Amino acid sequence: MVKISKEAALAYHKSGRPGKIEVKPTKPYRTQTDLSLAYSPGVAFPCLEIQQNADDAYQYTDKGNLVAVISNGTAVLGLGDIGALSGKPVMEGKGLLFKIYGGIDVFDIEVAEKDPEKFCEAVERIAPTFGGINLEDIKAPECFYIEDRLKKSLDIPVMHDDQHGTAIISAAGLKNALEVNGKDISQVKIVVNGAGAAAISCTKLYMALGARKENILMLDSKGVITSDREHLNEQKRFFATDRRDVHTLAEAIKDADVFVGLSKGNILSKDMVRSMAPSPIVFALANPEPEISYEDAMDSRPDVLMATGRSDYPNQINNVIGFPYIFRGALDVHARAINEEMKMAAVLAIADLAKQPVPDVVNDVYKVNNLTFGPSYFIPKPVDPRLITEVSAAVAKAAIDSGVARKTITDWDDYKNHLRQMLGLQTKVTRKLYDTARAHPQRVVFAEGVHPTMLKAAVQAKAEGICYPILLGNEERIEKLANQLELSLDGIEIVNLRHDREAERRERYARILTQKRQRDGYTFEEANDKMFERNYFGMMMVETGDADAFITGLYTKYSNTVKVAKEIIGVRPEYRNFGTMHIINSNRGTIFVGDTLINNDPTAEDLVDIAKLSATAVRFFNEKPKIALISHSNFGSDTSEGSRKVRNAVAKLHEQCPDLPVDGEMQLSIALNREMRDELYPFNHLKGQEINTLIFPNLTSARSSYKMIQALEPDIEIIGPIQMGLNKPIHFTDYGSSVRDVVSITAVAVIDAYVEKIKKSYL
């Protein structure tokens, strides 16, 4: 675990703009008309609509996506009662988590009031602003009263996350841990060390899952809570035991099946763990020091199933797995409350998700090959991108079914797609690619079958129904790697192109290539030797119809691959050269960039071809191309050779393609600012249109541009390189491509192959 110093933490919060959150406008505001719509006089119209129907606030304001994180600072993390203002950094941090994981806007509100009645009155008066209330860091027992009163008095979701967040995540973990060790929740003996808000809520939720009250012992700072104790509050009294033979933790934990610690560090000893029942479950959730360290617990006995609140050990009980998605689902149906049905739906969804195959992005973050359900993985990781779809949808459905939703969702697939798009997990472009490829899967050859990324991508593409993968490589090495990565090769063909059994095919491919390139000095012997190389062999599979598409590039230098593609597949006769394109799915829309891989220093004629190829590719993605040729100058403002080259290309395009929306040369800032472009250069051929396709003057500028965006905005989706202009679907990956990148390129290759087949059917 990385040690966080005081100096580093203070510098993080102080540097640049102080704090961690800000408010950003979501509507245009640059013109006088924009401001008149945003404020006076335009704002009056939605005000009057809301006056007539209060629920219209969800339609005309951010209420339906706005949560208040409210605290009085009486129980801040492990710091105790430090006051409302002192707790503000925590509340801002909670707001940040709401935003990055759930796409939810937050106002953090620190109320300097310890009296529960007055605190509730303050919250009730500001509640109309919000779609939900997240109570945070309020000490027990006041937190119980506050939450209960606000749930009764308000008609929006209210949840004290310190109670229910921990309860929901730990309940999901307990359900799965018991499944791993084969025990029945109704029979297990449970010891809960701690009797605060989180402990009370956790234990109640365990009972909702089937745990029996008589099998539960709860301890506070004085020991086991027994019914003969005086001055117990209502919550503790509910869990008081009539047993008189247990008083200490050591006595309570003997023969227990489950220990749940919500107390303080280092109070559970190795001997106590050894005294527990076989295959014990230990949830040591105190932070930053758990009740027993992970190392000590595992050392005490090999059969223990362990969870902590820390990210550096397996099975982290982390509230971020729950609250962003619980509120997301509640907000999306304009729920009046977060009820028990919604909490249980979240428990079951989280528990079920841990049993599903883990996305590669999660394995990459935690530097493991493949997480699988079992002792070291029975709770989903906080970075799992599926949490927002599975948990939010489950909560939303439970809200609808239990009658607390104002809005109904009927198309759940569409709702999940909306959630993915909202957080940038999947754009409309990507979804359409995958859906189209699934409808028409093709045979795709993956050149580097022994590369972990390409192997994972082939397996994932097969699992998603995008293609029928064919891996090139030594079958023993591929199978060994698959076993190491815990990947199934079922339904995936492996072709060892160097094996003797492929000799006849190599010779057949060599004869075909020799005949095709005989005027270029090819001999049969030379061609036959080349068939031992994966790019030659794989591309010949596509050329001869033994496969439909080919993916390469993770190992091979581009210059070599480009040479092979030209020799075997060839450039379409109407073009001088071919190129590639990258698709950038930004907040302002989809931007197509070409050429990003092939042509190092294109001539004016090459730029014409690249623009035409890009126009065809953009139409392939069902978009209308609106193309800008980029330079360091604007419409003749510079007469250098580079500017003249771009200007000449534009002139040729205007002559050859008069109906194509294209212009230049222009600077990138002018290309992407319609108002400025049209004001300064009203004669431009793109007047009134937002440009979506950029052609750069050379490979360095094109590649640097999208790489800079990728580096500065790591969460932005970039698809490519996508091949443009070869006679058949040969597609290239980028060095450092992720599994997701390769799968996206595979989807493009599949569609490319299908379109080629459709074209041939009409000939």
Side-chain angles (χ1 to χ4, degrees):
M1 188 175 183
V2 178
K3 182 174 176 59
I4 301 298
S5 68
K6 174 183 177 181
E7 292 75 17
L10 293 178
Y12 171 85
H13 286 79
K14 182 180 179 181
S15 63
R17 179 172 178 153
K20 298 186 286 287
I21 57 176
E22 65 177 344
V23 176
K24 287 187 175 182
T26 60
K27 297 293 188 296
Y29 55 87
R30 296 183 184 277
T31 68
Q32 184 60 43
T33 300
D34 291 337
L35 295 177
S36 296
L37 289 168
Y39 196 55
S40 180
V43 74
F45 296 103
C47 289
L48 294 173
E49 293 296 308
I50 295 169
Q51 183 185 30
Q52 294 297 317
N53 179 11
D55 285 350
D56 279 353
Y58 288 98
Q59 184 175 351
Y60 297 116
T61 75
D62 192 37
K63 179 182 175 75
N65 195 54
L66 186 61
V67 165
V69 173
I70 302 182
S71 178
N72 62 4
T74 54
V76 179
L77 295 179
L79 305 175
D81 186 353
I82 61 174
L85 182 60
S86 300
K88 183 174 173 59
V90 177
M91 306 314 131
E92 284 189 357
K94 195 65 175 277
L96 184 147
L97 296 176
F98 263 111
K99 187 66 175 180
I100 64 175
Y101 287 112
I104 295 170
D105 298 323
V106 162
F107 290 161
D108 64 287
I109 298 175
E110 291 72 40
V111 181
E113 181 55 71
K114 294 183 180 181
D115 182 277
E117 294 287 346
K118 293 179 180 178
F119 180 89
C120 287
E121 289 173 4
V123 175
E124 287 163 350
R125 281 167 172 72
I126 64 172
T129 305
F130 303 100
I133 303 289
N134 181 96
L135 299 171
E136 192 78 15
D137 292 351
I138 303 170
K139 73 181 182 71
E142 288 90 335
C143 63
F144 299 114
Y145 170 80
I146 289 171
E147 186 193 42
D148 186 58
R149 169 170 161 172
L150 292 176
K151 286 172 69 174
K152 292 175 181 176
S153 64
L154 300 180
D155 65 345
I156 56 174
V158 176
M159 188 172 88
H160 185 209
D161 187 51
D162 301 299
Q163 297 181 57
H164 307 297
T166 304
I168 288 165
I169 313 309
S170 69
L174 180 59
K175 180 179 184 297
N176 280 352
L178 289 169
E179 185 172 328
V180 170
N181 70 12
K183 293 186 178 182
D184 183 347
I185 193 169
S186 67
Q187 302 300 316
V188 295
K189 296 178 180 178
I190 301 173
V191 173
V192 180
N193 198 68
I200 296 294
S201 293
C202 285
T203 312
K204 286 184 176 180
L205 200 49
Y206 303 158
M207 290 174 62
L209 279 173
R212 295 165 62 184
K213 184 179 174 182
E214 59 266 29
N215 290 338
I216 298 170
L217 292 176
M218 182 176 287
L219 295 88
D220 59 11
S221 59
K222 297 178 181 178
V224 175
I225 299 173
T226 55
S227 55
D228 61 344
R229 286 245 310 257
E230 297 181 352
H231 309 300
L232 291 175
N233 62 40
E234 180 183 350
Q235 289 76 27
K236 289 184 181 182
R237 188 178 301 110
F238 179 82
F239 287 104
T241 180
D242 292 331
R243 291 176 58 180
R244 299 292 182 266
D245 58 328
V246 287
H247 299 89
T248 66
L249 178 58
E251 293 170 343
I253 204 168
K254 188 174 181 353
D255 296 325
D257 299 281
V258 178
F259 169 85
V260 178
L262 293 151
S263 50
K264 61 181 182 179
N266 302 312
I267 50 85
L268 185 67
S269 69
K270 288 184 180 182
D271 286 338
M272 291 181 189
V273 176
R274 293 188 187 104
S275 74
M276 295 178 71
S279 299
I281 296 168
V282 174
F283 284 11
L285 306 183
N287 253 325
E289 293 297 327
E291 284 79 2
I292 183 172
S293 71
Y294 181 84
E295 292 82 2
D296 283 352
M298 301 308 293
D299 183 61
S300 66
R301 55 192 297 174
D303 61 342
V304 66
L305 273 69
M306 179 77 170
T308 71
R310 292 176 47 157
S311 60
D312 50 344
Y313 296 114
N315 302 314
Q316 183 190 16
I317 305 293
N318 189 332
N319 284 18
V320 80
I321 296 173
F323 70 82
Y325 316 114
I326 295 166
F327 272 94
R328 178 78 271 159
L331 290 171
D332 287 341
V333 294
H334 304 168
R336 294 181 174 86
I338 293 175
N339 58 26
E340 297 307 311
E341 291 89 343
M342 295 159 73
K343 295 175 196 172
M344 185 56 69
V347 170
L348 299 178
I350 292 167
D352 185 63
L353 193 58
K355 302 171 192 174
Q356 309 305 316
V358 178
D360 189 72
V361 64
V362 178
N363 289 318
D364 287 346
V365 168
Y366 288 91
K367 309 298 182 188
V368 295
N369 287 335
N370 195 19
L371 292 168
T372 54
F373 183 68
S376 296
Y377 176 72
F378 51 78
I379 302 168
K381 297 293 187 181
V383 298
D384 195 319
R386 301 167 300 172
L387 283 162
I388 190 167
T389 55
E390 301 310 308
V391 180
S392 300
V395 170
K397 190 174 188 305
I400 294 169
D401 293 344
S402 62
V404 297
R406 295 179 176 90
K407 177 183 173 184
T408 299
I409 296 172
T410 55
D411 189 336
W412 292 98
D413 288 337
D414 184 66
Y415 173 59
K416 290 182 179 182
N417 286 331
H418 162 73
L419 293 174
R420 294 186 189 100
Q421 292 165 22
M422 181 182 63
L423 287 192
L425 301 175
Q426 184 184 76
T427 64
K428 290 182 180 179
V429 173
T430 307
R431 190 179 85 245
K432 193 164 188 178
L433 281 178
Y434 282 46
D435 289 346
T436 305
R438 262 186 223 103
H440 311 284
Q442 306 290 308
R443 298 165 299 166
V444 178
V445 181
F446 293 83
E448 296 105 349
V450 293
H451 192 292
T453 298
M454 195 159 276
L455 178 58
K456 290 178 181 179
V459 171
Q460 185 173 326
K462 171 67 170 59
E464 296 200 23
I466 288 172
C467 72
Y468 306 111
I470 302 170
L471 295 171
L472 296 185
N474 181 284
E475 54 267 66
E476 292 181 1
R477 289 182 62 194
I478 291 174
E479 289 170 1
K480 181 179 179 181
L481 179 61
N483 287 333
Q484 290 173 350
L485 299 175
E486 299 184 35
L487 300 174
S488 171
L489 296 175
D490 290 345
I492 296 179
E493 181 181 352
I494 300 174
V495 174
N496 187 343
L497 61 130
R498 299 184 179 183
H499 199 281
D500 289 345
R501 62 174 170 267
E502 295 296 341
E504 183 179 342
R505 179 150 55 167
R506 288 196 300 269
E507 292 177 6
R508 174 164 60 90
Y509 289 170
R511 285 193 296 271
I512 294 170
L513 181 59
T514 302
Q515 184 176 5
K516 184 175 183 177
R517 310 298 300 188
Q518 58 190 0
R519 291 290 181 178
D520 298 319
Y522 259 76
T523 66
F524 172 78
E525 289 75 14
E526 181 184 6
N528 197 36
D529 285 344
K530 290 183 183 298
M531 291 309 126
F532 286 90
E533 299 177 24
R534 56 181 173 267
N535 283 319
Y536 276 95
F537 188 92
M539 290 188 199
M540 283 302 300
M541 290 181 73
V542 176
E543 175 68 10
T544 60
D546 288 348
D548 301 309
F550 181 66
I551 308 291
T552 187
L554 287 175
Y555 281 138
T556 314
K557 290 183 178 179
Y558 291 127
S559 56
N560 295 337
T561 311
V562 169
K563 176 177 176 290
V564 177
K566 287 182 176 180
E567 287 180 5
I568 294 179
I569 303 300
V571 178
R572 292 180 182 177
E574 63 267 35
Y575 300 109
R576 294 159 45 92
N577 209 336
F578 77 103
T580 65
M581 168 183 283
H582 274 77
I583 302 175
I584 302 173
N585 289 311
S586 68
N587 290 333
R588 60 171 288 144
T590 301
I591 302 292
F592 301 88
V593 182
D595 162 48
T596 53
L597 186 65
I598 306 300
N599 300 283
N600 186 39
D601 188 16
T603 64
E605 289 75 15
D606 291 332
L607 288 176
V608 170
D609 273 359
I610 292 168
K612 290 179 178 178
L613 286 166
S614 297
T616 301
V618 172
R619 294 188 191 102
F620 178 84
F621 292 102
N622 291 320
E623 297 280 347
K624 180 183 177 182
K626 287 161 281 188
I627 306 173
L629 273 71
I630 304 302
S631 178
H632 65 278
S633 58
N634 289 310
F635 299 101
S637 64
D638 183 83
T639 58
S640 65
E641 182 180 348
S643 295
R644 287 200 308 271
K645 176 181 74 171
V646 178
R647 198 153 53 248
N648 290 339
V650 172
K652 291 176 185 294
L653 285 165
H654 285 168
E655 179 184 348
Q656 297 174 22
C657 310
D659 296 328
L660 180 64
V662 57
D663 216 334
E665 86 284 16
M666 65 180 87
Q667 294 174 0
L668 186 59
S669 58
I670 294 295
L672 297 178
N673 188 326
R674 175 175 54 84
E675 292 86 357
M676 185 185 299
R677 184 180 72 244
D678 290 354
E679 180 181 348
L680 295 176
Y681 309 102
F683 55 83
N684 78 82
H685 288 215
L686 293 154
K687 190 172 182 179
Q689 301 184 75
E690 296 287 353
I691 287 169
N692 63 2
T693 308
L694 305 174
I695 309 299
F696 287 86
N698 53 51
L699 183 60
T700 298
S701 56
R703 196 163 179 81
S704 298
S705 295
Y706 89 80
K707 285 289 187 181
M708 181 177 68
I709 293 172
Q710 196 171 45
L712 295 176
E713 298 287 346
D715 293 332
I716 202 167
E717 182 181 50
I718 299 180
I719 303 171
I722 297 165
Q723 177 267 121
M724 311 181 296
L726 290 174
N727 283 316
K728 293 191 176 180
I730 306 299
H731 286 264
F732 309 93
T733 57
D734 218 343
Y735 178 77
S737 291
S738 67
V739 172
R740 185 184 181 194
D741 293 335
V742 179
V743 174
S744 295
I745 295 168
T746 302
V748 174
V750 166
I751 301 168
D752 196 1
Y754 175 68
V755 170
E756 286 299 312
K757 288 183 177 181
I758 294 296
K759 287 180 181 177
K760 288 181 180 179
S761 69
Y762 285 102
L763 297 178

